[in-house]
């Protein structure tokens, strides 16, 4: 891929969470969303966080991005404690956060323009390169409202990449896209990541997406959340969608699912109706598999 | 296979298309026809009110007399001067309202201190209808002209202030977060994020405010003025020239409509990202 050259190598990107706890509210109304969470995002690796809906994934991203300060514990990026938002950790949001009043080009140029350390002409050239990289050249003068969901996500990716963030934080970026677009976006992200040396922390609640993308998969517990298990995904790279049918893939998926199932069972026991669906579906899957095995 | 399952040969599709067009055309003509019918009926009932002795309607001069009155007024200098002066008052009062209302609203939405100090005063004054200010305004301002402009100002001020505060304090937090992550300074955050995100609410406030401004200019010219369309309307009533009253009413309606159209057009121009698909 010739235009890979336009992405400069990035330095650093190692994120460490040390005993991070995040609580909201005070006194009686206090809830703990993240409880004593410790993990590491390795530099140059694709780390995926998976957890049940509502467990605190977005809160986790917000803490790492610096939008929220942890109640206790700390987030360390390349040895320095994170103390607020900054262009070294860029977020691609769950809902699109492209600025509706700016064209694709101006959205992508926004970071370098406000950081004021390069010439306008250079910024624009770089922005055009990245817009081409994400396949939106024809749409560089269109407004976000004129782009489809998938295009908006790619524009947002370009807006993040132009700043060469040390780590890219992605909070369920493909949620809400239709199944086919979602798969295409996954393949697209793999092509962008593989061989680029970038560090990505990706949040999802979709097991297939998680395994397809991850080098390391962190399974979160239900709220108050912490890392329940770490699974090393040793599928070879470059990855492609065919791997979803491989034997190793199925093993990894079973492993992850059974951990999620245990979580759902205890959530159900603790009174969460939302967890009931997963418990029931998993049990049916077990019984069907049991029959076919015989 | 797939095509046949849709069940339409090209010729058949063509007929459906023509049917659709014919139907649309018929609708359009029907709409036009109904519009013409309702307007003619209105004019006819109004015109025949007097000869037929229809109660209430016969108190009002018929369209034929209004047309004569219009010819009379439209050739008088006082009428055109009325337009000019009323428009001038609207423009001055309205613009001052924007110049004060928009920055104040933004400051109140962004800065807690500004909000806490100004909000109590605003909450006490805001519920008072601008018309109720007319007497005190006459006492307070040295000239009648200034009192009228002040009332117009009040009419536009509250609504643009409230809309600006509302718009600027309900910006989706993810825009601000994204902007901060990308390295925005407070200045960038204001000019490139908060201001553009608030423009749609400001435009709404301006459009509504323009309507209220016209109500206020007419009311205050009637009470405190000695020129302008509102004053001319009141004067015509006092000398029992009801035809002239009606011409003034229609004129004010047209003026209000055109002013709103200008605001709407300016609003669309200022927010190109909203009118595209
Ligand atoms: N600012 C806040 N104040 C109070 N509670 C909050 C706040 N932010 C999040 N929460 C609570 O924290 C919990 C986790 O929310 P969060 O959005 O992080 O979950 P999530 O895993 O990202 O969910 P989803 O699957 O819907 O994206 C929720 O119960 C939510 O109500
Ligand atoms: Mg979330």
């Amino acid at each position: 891929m010739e235009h890979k050259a336009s992405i400069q190598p990035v330095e650093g990107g190692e994120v460490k969470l040390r005993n991070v706890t995040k609580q909201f509210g005070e006194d009686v109304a206090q809830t703990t969303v993240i409880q004593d969470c410790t993990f590491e995002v390795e530099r140059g690796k694709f780390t995926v966080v998976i957890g049940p809906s509502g467990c605190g994934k977005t809160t986790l991203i917000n803490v790492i991005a610096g939008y929220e300060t942890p109640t206790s514990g700390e987030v360390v990026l390349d040895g320095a404690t994170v103390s607020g938002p900054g262009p070294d950790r860029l977020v691609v949001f769950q809902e699109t956060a492209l600025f509706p009043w700016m064209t694709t080009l101006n959205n992508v140029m926004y970071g370098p323009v406000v950081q004021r350390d390069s010439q306008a002409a250079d910024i624009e050239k770089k922005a055009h390169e990245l817009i081409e990289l994400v396949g939106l050249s024809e749409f560089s003068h269109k407004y976000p409202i004129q782009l489809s969901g998938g295009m908006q996500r790619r524009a947002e990716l370009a807006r993040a990449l132009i700043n060469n963030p040390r780590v890219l934080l992605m909070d369920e970026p493909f949620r809400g896209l239709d199944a086919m677009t979602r798969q295409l976006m996954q393949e697209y992200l793999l092509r962008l990541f593989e061989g680029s040396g970038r560090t990505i922390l990706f949040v999802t609640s979709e097991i297939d997406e998680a395994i397809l993308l991850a080098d390391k998969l962190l399974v979160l517990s239900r709220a108050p959340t912490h890392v329940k298990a770490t699974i090393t995904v040793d599928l070879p790279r470059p990855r492609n969608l065919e791997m979803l049918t491989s034997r190793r893939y199925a093993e990894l998926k079973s492993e992850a699912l059974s951990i999620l199932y245990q979580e759902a069972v205890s959530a159900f026991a603790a009174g969460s109706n939302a967890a009931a669906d997963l418990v029931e579906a998993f049990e049916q899957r077990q019984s069907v598999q049991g029959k076919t095995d015989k | 296979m797939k095509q046949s399952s849709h069940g339409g040969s090209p010729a058949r599709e063509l007929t459906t298309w023509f049917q659709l067009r014919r139907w649309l055309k018929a609708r359009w003509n029907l709409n036009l026809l109904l519009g013409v019918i309702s307007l003619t009926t209105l004019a006819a009932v109004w015109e025949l009110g007097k000869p037929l002795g229809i109660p209430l309607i016969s108190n009002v001069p018929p369209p034929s007399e209004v047309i004569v009155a219009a010819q009379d007024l439209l050739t008088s200098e006082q009428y055109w001067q009325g337009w000019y002066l009323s428009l001038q008052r609207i423009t001055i009062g309205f613009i001052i309202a924007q110049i004060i209302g928009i920055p104040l609203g933004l400051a109140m939405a962004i800065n807690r201190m500004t909000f806490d100090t100004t909000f109590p005063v605003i909450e006490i004054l805001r519920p008072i209808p601008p018309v109720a200010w007319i007497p005190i305004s006459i006492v307070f301002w040295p000239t009648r002209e200034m009192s009228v402009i002040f009332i117009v100002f009040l009419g536009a001020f509250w609504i643009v202030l409230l809309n600006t505060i509302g718009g600027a304090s309900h910006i989706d937090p993810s825009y601000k977060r994204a902007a901060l992550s990308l390295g925005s300074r407070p200045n960038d955050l204001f000019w490139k994020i908060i201001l553009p995100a608030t423009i749609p609410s400001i435009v709404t406030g301006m459009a509504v405010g323009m309507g209220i401004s016209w109500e206020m200019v007419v009311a205050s010219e009637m009470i405190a003025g000695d020129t302008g369309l509102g004053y001319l309307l009141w004067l015509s009533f006092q000398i029992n020239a009801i035809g002239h009253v009606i011409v003034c009413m229609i004129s004010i309606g047209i003026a209000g409509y055109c002013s709103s159209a200008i605001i709407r057009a300016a609003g669309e121009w200022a927010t190109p990202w909203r009118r595209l698909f």
Side-chain angles (χ1 to χ4, degrees), chain A residues 205-221:
Chain A
S205 52
E206 236 240 357
I207 187 83
D208 288 320
E209 182 170 86
I211 297 173
L212 178 68
L213 298 173
D215 289 313
K216 188 164 89 177
L217 181 59
L218 305 171
V219 185
L220 293 185
S221 71

Side-chain angles (χ1 to χ4, degrees), chain B residues 43-151:
Chain B
V45 171
W46 184 7
E47 182 71 45
L48 297 174
K50 206 166 235 172
L52 296 181
I54 302 175
L56 302 178
I57 298 176
S58 53
N59 297 343
V60 183
S64 52
E65 275 178 44
V66 173
I67 290 168
V68 176
Q71 284 167 349
D72 191 20
L73 260 191
L74 264 53
T75 49
S76 81
E77 197 184 322
Q78 196 185 17
Y79 173 79
W80 293 111
Q81 197 200 19
W83 264 92
Y84 174 75
L85 289 172
S86 292
L87 272 176
Q88 191 178 47
R89 288 164 190 153
I90 287 278
T91 313
I92 298 173
F94 184 80
I95 288 176
I96 296 176
Q98 311 311 310
I99 292 175
I100 300 176
I102 297 170
L104 181 60
L106 286 167
M108 285 177 73
I110 294 165
N111 188 303
R112 191 77 225 173
M113 277 261 286
T114 319
F115 186 87
D116 288 344
T117 44
T118 46
F119 192 68
V121 181
I122 287 170
E123 269 310 276
I124 290 170
L125 297 183
R126 190 180 55 88
I128 305 170
V131 185
W133 284 86
I134 295 178
I136 208 78
S137 172
I138 295 172
V139 174
F140 183 84
W141 294 100
T143 66
R144 288 293 169 103
E145 193 64 29
M146 284 184 185
S147 356
V148 174
I149 290 173
F150 177 68
I151 301 302

Side-chain angles (χ1 to χ4, degrees), chain A residues 67 86-87 101 110 115-116, chain B residues 177 181-182 184 188 192 273:
Chain A
Y67 302 138
W101 47 89
Y110 186 86
Q115 288 161 35
R116 294 178 178 81
Chain B
R177 287 181 161 180
S181 268
L182 291 163
S184 304
D188 302 313
K192 295 181 170 151
W273 68 89

Side-chain angles (χ1 to χ4, degrees), chain A residues 60-220:
Chain A
L60 194 64
I61 290 286
N62 286 346
V63 167
I64 298 173
Y67 302 138
E68 307 270 11
T69 29
T71 313
S72 66
E74 59 176 355
V75 178
V76 180
L77 173 66
D78 298 322
T81 304
V82 160
S83 62
D88 49 6
R89 287 152 286 136
L90 283 178
V91 188
V92 176
F93 290 88
Q94 189 169 332
E95 272 82 40
T96 184
L98 288 171
F99 306 129
W101 47 89
M102 293 183 198
T103 58
T104 306
L105 180 64
N106 285 332
N107 262 294
V108 174
M109 284 170 56
Y110 186 86
V113 165
V114 297
Q115 288 161 35
R116 294 178 178 81
D117 38 33
S118 24
Q119 300 280 316
D122 294 341
I123 298 173
E124 193 168 336
K125 186 164 164 277
K126 186 97 193 293
H128 276 299
E129 279 173 23
L130 276 161
I131 290 171
E132 198 189 328
L133 180 68
V134 298
L136 292 176
S137 296
E138 285 169 49
F139 297 88
S140 51
H141 296 290
K142 298 264 193 264
Y143 289 98
I145 197 180
Q146 296 168 290
L147 307 183
S148 69
M151 289 176 182
Q152 290 180 359
R153 286 305 136 96
R154 281 182 281 153
E156 219 175 324
L157 212 50
R159 182 174 74 173
L161 289 177
I162 198 171
N163 300 284
N164 279 308
R166 293 196 229 167
V167 54
L168 199 57
L169 307 170
M170 305 182 79
D171 183 11
E172 300 195 55
F174 306 147
R175 175 150 146 179
L177 299 180
D178 63 87
M180 200 153 81
T181 312
R182 190 171 183 144
Q183 285 200 334
L184 291 173
M185 291 293 294
Q186 290 162 358
E187 285 192 312
Y188 180 80
L189 185 62
L190 281 173
R191 283 210 309 277
L192 212 62
F193 166 76
E194 280 164 354
S196 72
R198 293 191 162 271
T199 311
I200 298 181
L201 177 64
F202 187 102
V203 164
T204 184
S205 52
E206 236 240 357
I207 187 83
D208 288 320
E209 182 170 86
I211 297 173
L212 178 68
L213 298 173
D215 289 313
K216 188 164 89 177
L217 181 59
L218 305 171
V219 185
L220 293 185

